[in-house]
């Protein structure tokens, strides 16, 4: 303790029995240990909401259905929602940069369309997959030009791409006719993407996990990731920084498009072809998962770990409702209610903590 701390008159009057300054709760500039611990607990409550809800869902469905906690069922849930995780990872990158991407579903669909169409015409798997990835990157590049180059608001830019992409699908398929890949037109290595496994873990799961790790390294351990994060939190600073930050932001859209294309290729392998607007089903759930995951951060910053928890919440919720016999029509209602509950509680708890800290 610094020697220039002034001794209070009441401490002088108590003589040797006075409480030492460093142990007193009334010392200038210090707070009681109990109050500090309580504030720390209050600050962490919003970040515990999503993991707590996930645990509650697992326990509840585990009690209600004997098949829920089996290894095969849980592994099936993760495998089924691997494509949603990929879409949510792509969305996390864009939201982290301060934007929103309504064209994620379009990138998934167009990548699936390109891959399935080339396979149907007899091209080899690697060539079809390569052009599928390039299609997703093209969608990301168009978004980058609109948002970063022409300064169009991300919502409006990606909404336009959404409409255009939906129209392209209809034109390319003659009004929405699906593309079916027969066994003779589907190479074995392409079928392996949907049905193959390594050590009992499906290829879609492994692919999503590899992408998750790679994007985590980019966002959390690279200069590019730091620039993208600052862009989302302090856009004025990025505008002052100039050309280098613009390149990083454009890169975010390219990365998101590439990730979406991977989801599209896996979707084509899983469905053995292409169905119009099949990727659109992942858009809203991806947005919801990202914002559920953002509650895990003290600053509301989207994180990949939080996004993965959000995807798991949606997956466990849908699977559990199926096992206990609830109609499919209730699942959308349940997802919306869960998302609203988490966001409202997180906002309420965060507001209460801020008010308490000010007092």
């Amino acid at each position: 303790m610094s020697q220039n701390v002034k001794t209070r008159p009441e401490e002088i009057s108590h003589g040797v029995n006075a409480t030492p300054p460093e142990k007193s709760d009334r010392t200038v500039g210090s707070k009681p240990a109990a109050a500090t611990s309580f504030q720390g607990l209050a600050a962490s409550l919003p970040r515990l909401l999503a993991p707590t809800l996930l645990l509650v869902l697992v326990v509840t469905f585990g009690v209600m259905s004997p098949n829920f906690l089996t290894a095969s069922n849980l592994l099936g849930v993760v495998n089924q929602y691997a494509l949603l995780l990929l879409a949510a990872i792509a969305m996390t990158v864009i939201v982290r940069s301060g934007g929103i991407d309504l064209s994620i579903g379009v990138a998934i669909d167009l990548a699936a369309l390109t891959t399935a169409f080339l396979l149907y015409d007899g091209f080899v798997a690697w060539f079809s997959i390569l052009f599928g990835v390039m299609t997703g990157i093209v969608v990301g590049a168009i978004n980058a030009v609109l948002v970063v180059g022409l300064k169009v608001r991300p919502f409006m830019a990606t909404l336009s791409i959404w409409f255009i992409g939906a129209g392209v699908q209809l034109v390319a398929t003659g009004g929405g006719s699906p593309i079916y890949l027969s066994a003779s037109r589907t190479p074995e290595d392409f079928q392996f993407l949907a049905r193959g496994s390594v050590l009992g873990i499906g290829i879609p799961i492994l692919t999503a996990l590899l992408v998750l790790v790679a994007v985590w390294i980019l966002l959390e351990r690279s200069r590019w990731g730091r620039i993208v994060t600052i862009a989302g939190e302090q856009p004025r600073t990025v505008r002052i920084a100039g050309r280098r930050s613009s390149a990083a932001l454009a890169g975010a859209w390219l990365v998101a498009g590439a990730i979406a294309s991977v989801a599209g290729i896996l979707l084509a392998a899983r469905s053995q072809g292409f169905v119009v607007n099949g990727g659109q089903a992942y858009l809203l759930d991806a947005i919801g998962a990202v914002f559920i995951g953002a509650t895990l951060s003290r600053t509301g910053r989207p994180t990949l770990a939080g996004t993965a928890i959000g995807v798991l919440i949606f997956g466990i919720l849908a699977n559990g409702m199926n096992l206990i016999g609830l109609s499919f029509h209730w699942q959308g209602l349940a997802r919306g209610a869960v998302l609203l509950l988490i966001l409202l509680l997180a906002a309420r708890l965060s507001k209460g903590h801020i008010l308490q800290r000010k007092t």
Side-chain angles (χ1 to χ4, degrees), residues 38-59:
F38 181 78
Q39 289 185 0
L41 177 62
S44 64
L45 285 178
R47 289 176 285 164
L48 297 176
L49 283 174
T52 301
L53 178 61
L54 178 61
L55 179 61
V56 169
L57 289 175
V58 170
V59 173

Side-chain angles (χ1 to χ4, degrees), residues 72-86 194 202 204-205 208 266-267 270 282 311 314-316 318-320 322 328 331 335:
S72 59
N73 180 65
L74 294 179
L75 194 60
V77 171
V78 178
N79 188 57
Q80 181 180 358
Y81 279 81
L83 301 189
L84 175 58
L85 178 58
L86 286 168
I205 301 175
L266 292 176
L267 178 62
R270 175 179 291 180
Y282 299 101
V311 171
F314 285 156
I316 294 297
N319 178 257
N322 285 331
F328 171 79
Q331 293 184 19
R335 287 197 299 270

